[in-house]
Amino acid sequence: MPTVTPGYTFTGTTDPITSTKLNLLSTPSVTIGNSEVVTATISDNAVTTAKIAALAVTTAKIAALAVTSAELAANAVTTAKINALAVTTAKIAALAVTSAELAADAVTTAKVLDNNVTIAKIVAAGANNTFLARSTTGAGNYEALDTTTTGLGYYTGAGGEVSQLTSKATAITLNKVCGEITTFGDSLAANTIVSAVWYNTRIYTSDVVVINHKSGGTIGAYTFNVSCILNGAATLTIRNNTASPLSEALVLNFAVIKGVKT
């Protein structure tokens, strides 16, 4: 063993620092050179948290897959510690994301797969006889409509109106599921039927059209019928049931009830 005196320089692995050598000095003072401490010179479990400077462990110092859940303190991984796009589906345990983990309004339409919203996922109805629709004019959210107060039927925007020209036999065009028809005021002979073609792209041969006499002319003097003869066309028939000719413009209300035969 060499003689150790103040100022002595140890020469690495061939001349390591030992307690025996240091005891040769009355007041040992040892300075470790830069890069002299390598992995092999550090005892297992010797580097504690207290030995690590703040912010000293960077991403580059951590081996891939080296940080497991056992190494993480409870609540240690905050949002600020996670890189954007770093949390992939594979990193999330099954059933690990509960409603408590979701921010308000975080689940947008784009995040929901098609056909994944079942009836059970839709908010419960406030009462029976309630359905989802929209009665308010214009686009917007669906509304819960109570049929005991609103009734069943069409709402603003579904209807239309048309006035017949020339005669009660003149064809009319009104492409609506409900509305108002005003006939021409020409004479209709006693106990006589007149028919007019009604072009309406909303009418199909399996549909039923309800029509009644709203105003104009003699209420109760006529019989009305609509025959759905084609997809997109029907025949409006009016009969004068009286014993005298009538020259009246009749105002009729109608509504199309959709139907099928299979």
Side-chain angles (χ1 to χ4, degrees), residues 175-221:
N175 299 312
K176 294 291 185 176
V177 291
C178 61
E180 183 178 281
I181 299 171
T182 301
T183 71
F184 197 70
D186 58 318
S187 178
L188 180 59
N191 299 308
T192 300
I193 295 173
V194 63
S195 297
V197 176
W198 174 11
Y199 296 105
N200 188 338
T201 56
R202 304 298 180 86
I203 290 178
Y204 290 81
T205 56
S206 57
D207 294 343
V208 176
V209 179
V210 178
I211 192 164
N212 60 42
H213 192 177
K214 173 187 176 182
S215 62
T218 306
I219 300 296

